[in-house]
Amino acid sequence: MTSFDTSPQLNVWRALLALAVVFVMLATTGWTALRSHREATALQASLSKWEHGYLHGHRLPDPEAGPARLTPFFASLTAEDQARLAHRYPLAVGNMNGAPVTLRYQANRVAMEQAREVEQKRMHDTRLSAAGHQDAGRRMHRYESLLTPGRQILAFDPEGSGRIAEVFGNLDQAQRISVVVPGVDTDLLTFQKTNRQYTAPVGMAQALYAAERTASPATRTAVIAWADYTAPDGLGVDAATGLRAAEGALRLNALLDALPGTAPVAMICHSYGSVVCGVAAHDMPRRVSDIAVAASPGMRVSAASHLRTGAQVWAMRDATDWIQDVPYLELGGLGHGADPVSSAFGARVLSARDAHGHAGYFQPGTDSLRNLADVGVGAYDAVTCARENDLCQSGATPAGRA
């Protein structure tokens, strides 16, 4: 399957748009019926165990209760009791919005150690094919990398292709927070790359974090590489519709609602990630000051005002990005709406002139990365607009609210 990371055959994309109705109908009937009979995942098992668990003779709170209930619960516990819960229910605590972020890091480390042991056994399981052994080896090495001391894993689910999120900086002490939302072909194994590192979520977030510190050295920043949703796999049906975006939007807003502190949050959304951000926008908390999209196929609205958000909306696209040739339309659920860099859309259009291709926006030294960093730290007067004599930064306010 062709990846969004490479230039597609656009006639294939248009054919997919035309055929997607058939596949969507199948996906919402027989295919979903099959999915409903799958065995419980490791995360579901951990949550179920939590639901039946006790601490000092008292039932544990509903894990779906949300931050309003869970944050005070964890705050009432001793460090010893928190650590006990993290080791007893690692996947549940590691993915629990409302748990302290440092406790989530600790719980996810336990969960990844357990997942690594599973893959070590699979590597020597004689029932598996050579391809199965290879997959187990790749996963084991990924877990070993994620277990490197100092890494801060905010969310982790090994099921299927995997979901994950990582924090760079001190999330509890941050004065500005940025959340990088990547696009298609994002999963546990593609979360970080050695070659072309700035095309993967970890590299994107690391580059943005460094650029933000350069842009405003006195500002305490934190950046989240958020791959905690099931992204479309290449240019298939899921990439032509908003189904994955709708699922991802729920998960994204659950994270945003649980972020510690009151620091303004900037959403930095790439490719299909901008579809996720577009769908999520109307439910994002008020602390989200900015939504910046790069290489967007659309945000599933015809104008920025239709996002129903008080956040400032920014957009950029470089001249060599093939995404400009994808039809900007939405018809019967297919396609993602208007072009965010068009004048009619109404976003603040930023320069990306020295970025290269669809995946080059986070390359260090580019004006695209610098502009995203300036948005992230609220340095709106420092951004460069895409068009000469354009005042894209005019009226931008540090709190993101007029």
Side-chain angles (χ1 to χ4, degrees):
M1 184 69 68
T2 303
S3 167
F4 255 113
D5 203 32
T6 57
S7 179
Q9 296 294 324
L10 293 176
N11 59 332
V12 174
W13 172 253
R14 293 186 174 96
L16 281 169
L17 283 174
L19 294 173
V21 173
V22 176
F23 289 103
V24 169
M25 291 176 64
L26 289 171
T28 56
T29 55
W31 291 354
T32 52
L34 289 173
R35 289 181 183 177
S36 66
H37 295 289
R38 293 175 61 184
E39 295 182 0
T41 67
L43 174 55
Q44 290 168 342
S46 185
L47 287 168
S48 178
K49 186 178 177 183
W50 170 284
E51 289 171 347
H52 295 89
Y54 289 81
L55 182 66
H56 301 311
H58 298 286
R59 290 289 299 269
L60 297 174
D62 181 355
E64 303 295 332
R69 172 70 179 89
L70 294 172
T71 299
F73 165 72
F74 282 103
S76 71
L77 303 180
T78 65
E80 183 180 2
D81 282 340
Q82 288 187 5
R84 181 179 292 112
L85 293 178
H87 281 81
R88 191 179 296 171
Y89 316 101
L91 279 172
V93 175
N95 292 278
M96 194 171 290
N97 292 313
V101 293
T102 53
L103 187 64
R104 291 179 67 169
Y105 302 157
Q106 179 182 347
N108 283 321
R109 175 166 290 274
V110 174
M112 290 186 299
E113 288 172 345
Q114 294 176 350
R116 178 179 59 181
E117 292 176 2
V118 170
E119 299 306 329
Q120 285 177 328
K121 292 178 181 178
R122 288 184 66 231
M123 287 178 64
H124 304 288
D125 190 336
T126 57
R127 296 170 297 178
L128 293 182
S129 65
H133 290 152
Q134 184 179 35
D135 176 70
R138 291 180 67 200
R139 283 176 169 262
M140 189 197 71
H141 291 306
R142 170 62 70 221
Y143 298 145
E144 288 179 341
S145 174
L146 292 170
L147 285 166
T148 301
R151 298 193 72 166
Q152 302 176 132
I153 306 304
L154 185 64
F156 169 67
D157 183 358
E159 180 66 19
S161 59
R163 295 194 297 252
I164 191 164
E166 183 172 9
V167 175
F168 299 90
N170 189 324
L171 198 55
D172 283 316
Q173 300 297 321
Q175 296 170 306
R176 300 283 307 196
I177 298 171
S178 296
V179 182
V180 175
V181 183
V184 305
D185 292 329
T186 298
D187 57 30
L188 194 63
L189 293 177
T190 62
F191 185 59
Q192 183 173 3
K193 297 179 182 178
T194 301
N195 297 320
R196 304 178 71 234
Q197 66 182 97
Y198 301 113
T199 68
V202 168
M204 292 176 176
Q206 288 176 324
L208 182 64
Y209 182 53
E212 287 184 350
R213 286 182 293 168
T214 298
S216 183
T219 303
R220 296 192 304 272
T221 62
V223 177
I224 302 173
W226 189 81
D228 192 26
Y229 81 109
T230 303
D233 182 11
L235 289 178
V237 177
D238 284 345
T241 71
L243 295 177
R244 295 294 190 191
E247 297 167 358
L250 293 175
R251 300 184 64 82
L252 180 58
N253 280 332
L255 166 80
L256 295 175
D257 287 336
L259 289 177
T262 59
V265 177
M267 306 303 302
I268 310 296
C269 319
H270 179 256
S271 193
Y272 190 86
S274 67
V275 185
V276 178
C277 290
V279 175
H282 73 282
D283 268 342
M284 287 179 178
R286 287 185 55 82
R287 66 188 292 187
V288 174
S289 58
D290 302 273
I291 302 174
V293 301
S296 176
M299 301 180 74
R300 300 198 69 78
V301 291
S302 58
S305 59
H306 296 171
L307 292 171
R308 292 183 289 152
T309 177
Q312 295 159 151
V313 181
W314 310 79
M316 64 169 62
R317 185 177 65 221
D318 79 79
T320 63
D321 190 342
W322 58 259
I323 200 74
Q324 64 189 310
D325 296 319
V326 169
Y328 282 95
L329 54 83
E330 192 279 324
L331 182 63
L334 306 176
H336 302 304
D339 183 354
V341 302
S342 66
S343 298
F345 189 80
R348 301 168 181 269
V349 184
L350 297 165
S351 171
R353 64 179 177 273
D354 60 353
H356 181 70
H358 186 66
Y361 295 85
F362 294 84
Q363 184 70 34
T366 57
D367 59 343
S368 54
L369 178 61
R370 179 179 52 76
N371 276 326
L372 293 173
D374 286 337
V375 169
V377 299
Y380 307 125
D381 57 349
V383 302
T384 54
C385 304
R387 293 178 281 268
E388 289 186 13
N389 302 319
D390 187 3
L391 299 177
C392 66
Q393 73 271 56
S394 177
T397 57
R401 300 290 186 267

